[in-house]
Amino acid sequence: MVTHTNPSAAPTTAPRAEGPILTGWEAVRVATALGYPSVAAGVIARRRPIMAVLETVRADDTTLETVRELRHRFGSGPVQLRLPGRRLAVVLEPEDVARVLAESPDPFTPANREKKSALSPFQPRGVLISGGHLRRQRRDFNEAVLDTSMPVHHLAPEIVPVIAEETNTLLDLAVRSGRLDPDQFTKMWWRIVRRIVFGSAARDDETPTDRLWRLRGIGNWSYLLPDRPRLREKFFDDLYRYVGHAEPGSLAATIAATDAGGAVDPVGQMPHWLFAFDAAGIACSRALALLATHPDERRHAEAEVDGADLTEVQQYRYLRAVMLDSVRLWPTTPAILRDSTEETGWGPDGRRFTVPAGTAFLVLASAFHRDGTTLEFADRFVPQIWLDGRAQSYPQLVPFSAGPAECPGRNLVLLVTSTVMAHLLARVRFELTSAPSLSPDRPLPATLNNFGLRFAVHPR
């Protein structure tokens, strides 16, 4: 069922009571079409077998088609879905994406109800699900440790040798076998992450990351699985152990040296960093697949690498752009959620209709990033847009979110991923051997299973 209020019947000086609303079975159908690829894949912990199925059936195409349907039927929106026990507003306009993210955390709080349920099993005191003054304190702490305002993290001189060592270890094996598979890449990635976060003593200690994975699996099921307090307690014991014996040059040491108020819970912020680094590894493997299949872009990347001193800290502008476009094409956070803390007005000057407080606002990044009606490059790999100013002219391009709640680790992630790619590209050339094949001559698929990416490896 669809309900509207006649625009001509509403006074021009007062908001309309309601905008476009879907109810009943129609609302459930649309919500399912929009959410099922992300939910099935695992919102918090990716399910490998399901990811392969979703790639085969091109699941994300359904999301893109449903958003196009909503725009065709209702125009600018947002379109509200009245679901059992919940009201969801689907954002349809680029300008509204910018507004929702710019006006976070008030009146659009990142501490969304569904997000709290999904993240609390492993980060119950994380900044993403905090509110009010406490959120501000935790955000400040995250920004201090992660050097949010700095293009290069202060630990970069310690991070670069770690990446060099681990990538060379991987490549020695890959060159001998002539191939690189997802398991090899994942093992290398987590060794790098553990060394950056905890220190080199944690290189082969898979216990904390394994426990985190189990807790994230519970988060996938949100309200449906019981909490695991004992498992969470053991996981946090691991974190406190590494911070208590912090290795110089690690994020754990930075935590130990950074002042924080008693309610901040510095160690309680670490689980989200590990969670975010997992997404970064996914994006990095997809970026390698793009470079392996796009000769012009690969040559640009190799030229940047060949002209750099890999032993020194580098910003790798082109490789950072490669990473940004990898996340644009396949967002690791495809659905950005906010809850409204007050009634909000929409339309010209906020006078067309209002949406009540407590509504969940949904920004489907993948639908905006792949919108061929507004982006001529929607389904192509174009790192150059992040260097020539084009990307900045589209407020709907939000690979790391945007506004006051933008990912505080953005620059650290770009440093790590671009440096990893630089060291890999310096020694070998990758050839994608897995399906689906990617090509600059046809639109890139909306769904790409990173766990299925396999490469032949050729020394340069």
Side-chain angles (χ1 to χ4, degrees):
M1 178 179 178
V2 183
T3 62
H4 292 275
T5 301
N6 183 353
S8 62
T12 58
T13 57
R16 289 170 53 194
E18 295 181 335
I21 298 175
L22 298 179
T23 62
W25 169 247
E26 180 74 348
V28 173
R29 179 192 69 81
V30 170
T32 301
L34 295 176
Y36 100 85
S38 295
V39 173
V43 175
I44 305 301
R46 301 294 193 273
R47 302 181 177 102
R48 293 192 178 201
I50 301 299
M51 284 287 292
V53 173
L54 295 173
E55 179 182 70
T56 300
V57 301
R58 300 173 61 94
D60 289 287
D61 287 355
T62 302
T63 299
L64 305 185
E65 291 165 3
T66 303
V67 172
R68 283 194 288 266
E69 172 198 337
L70 294 176
R71 287 176 178 146
H72 178 73
R73 292 173 62 184
F74 304 114
S76 61
V79 175
Q80 300 169 70
L81 312 181
R82 281 183 181 165
L83 302 167
R86 195 65 158 137
R87 182 186 291 245
L88 178 68
V90 183
V91 176
L92 300 179
E93 284 292 305
E95 293 76 14
D96 291 343
V97 172
R99 175 190 171 185
V100 168
L101 299 183
E103 296 180 13
S104 298
D106 185 26
F108 301 106
T109 176
N112 157 270
R113 186 195 307 176
E114 288 75 21
K115 195 185 299 182
K116 285 182 178 180
S117 178
L119 296 180
S120 60
F122 66 97
Q123 50 168 305
R125 294 173 293 280
V127 65
L128 273 187
I129 55 176
S130 301
H133 185 60
L134 186 56
R135 181 195 176 279
R136 181 67 264 170
Q137 289 181 311
R138 287 174 174 165
R139 176 76 189 194
D140 288 346
F141 179 82
N142 275 266
E143 291 186 1
V145 174
L146 300 176
D147 281 354
T148 300
S149 63
M150 304 298 294
V152 177
H153 197 276
H154 73 276
L155 293 180
E158 284 74 33
I159 290 172
V160 169
V162 166
I163 291 173
E165 183 178 333
E166 296 299 341
T167 53
N168 282 324
T169 299
L170 173 70
L171 290 176
D172 288 344
L173 176 64
V175 169
R176 287 197 299 270
S177 65
R179 62 183 177 82
L180 175 65
D181 64 37
D183 288 340
Q184 292 170 321
F185 182 89
T186 300
K187 287 179 181 177
M188 174 209 68
W189 181 257
W190 278 110
R191 285 170 177 164
I192 291 171
V193 170
R194 285 193 294 268
R195 291 180 69 178
I196 291 172
V197 176
F198 300 130
S200 291
R203 177 186 189 268
D204 299 312
D205 182 6
E206 297 181 353
T207 299
T209 42
D210 283 351
R211 284 175 173 156
L212 173 61
W213 184 260
R214 291 162 62 192
L215 289 166
R216 288 171 57 189
I218 296 168
N220 274 347
W221 294 97
S222 193
Y223 305 99
L224 301 179
L225 286 183
D227 198 11
R228 295 286 300 278
R230 291 186 64 184
L231 176 60
R232 184 169 59 240
E233 182 179 347
K234 291 179 180 178
F235 169 60
F236 273 94
D237 285 345
D238 295 334
L239 304 187
Y240 276 101
R241 173 165 50 89
Y242 278 111
V243 174
H245 300 86
E247 188 174 313
S250 67
L251 286 176
T254 305
I255 287 174
T258 302
D259 291 334
V264 168
D265 186 12
V267 174
Q269 310 312 304
M270 296 178 78
H272 190 73
W273 305 345
L274 294 168
F275 175 50
F277 267 125
D278 187 22
I282 291 171
C284 192
S285 64
R286 288 169 172 162
L288 285 176
L290 288 165
L291 290 175
T293 54
H294 290 71
D296 289 344
E297 288 72 21
R298 184 190 70 230
R299 282 190 287 270
H300 280 294
E302 288 176 345
E304 181 174 57
V305 172
D306 293 343
D309 181 352
L310 296 183
T311 66
E312 298 292 331
V313 176
Q314 306 285 344
Q315 289 206 46
Y316 300 114
R317 291 183 69 248
Y318 191 79
L319 286 176
R320 286 184 177 222
V322 166
M323 274 302 306
L324 288 166
D325 219 45
S326 171
V327 183
R328 176 187 68 83
L329 288 163
W330 299 290
T332 50
T333 304
I336 302 174
L337 289 167
R338 298 286 188 267
D339 278 357
S340 59
T341 57
E342 60 187 51
E343 181 180 88
T344 54
W346 298 88
D349 300 322
R351 293 180 177 181
R352 190 156 60 90
F353 64 89
T354 60
V355 175
T359 298
F361 280 78
L362 172 63
V363 174
L364 286 159
S366 56
F368 286 100
H369 293 183
R370 292 297 195 99
D371 181 11
T373 63
T374 57
L375 306 173
E376 56 89 15
F377 50 78
D379 296 315
R380 294 187 291 114
F381 176 44
V382 281
Q384 195 62 34
I385 66 169
W386 301 97
L387 301 173
D388 62 17
R390 276 181 289 169
Q392 290 76 11
S393 67
Y394 295 103
Q396 69 270 40
L397 299 185
V398 287
F400 285 85
S401 188
E406 182 180 31
C407 173
R410 180 183 190 274
N411 285 330
L412 177 58
V413 164
L414 290 175
L415 166 72
V416 173
T417 52
S418 63
T419 305
V420 166
M421 286 195 291
H423 283 265
L424 294 176
L425 295 172
R427 281 187 56 184
V428 304
R429 182 162 290 168
F430 294 93
E431 175 191 352
L432 185 66
T433 58
S434 54
S437 61
L438 309 179
S439 170
D441 299 323
R442 58 180 178 271
L444 292 165
T447 307
L448 183 65
N449 173 24
N450 61 287
F451 298 119
L453 297 175
R454 300 179 185 277
F455 303 89
V457 175
H458 308 285
R460 289 186 62 196

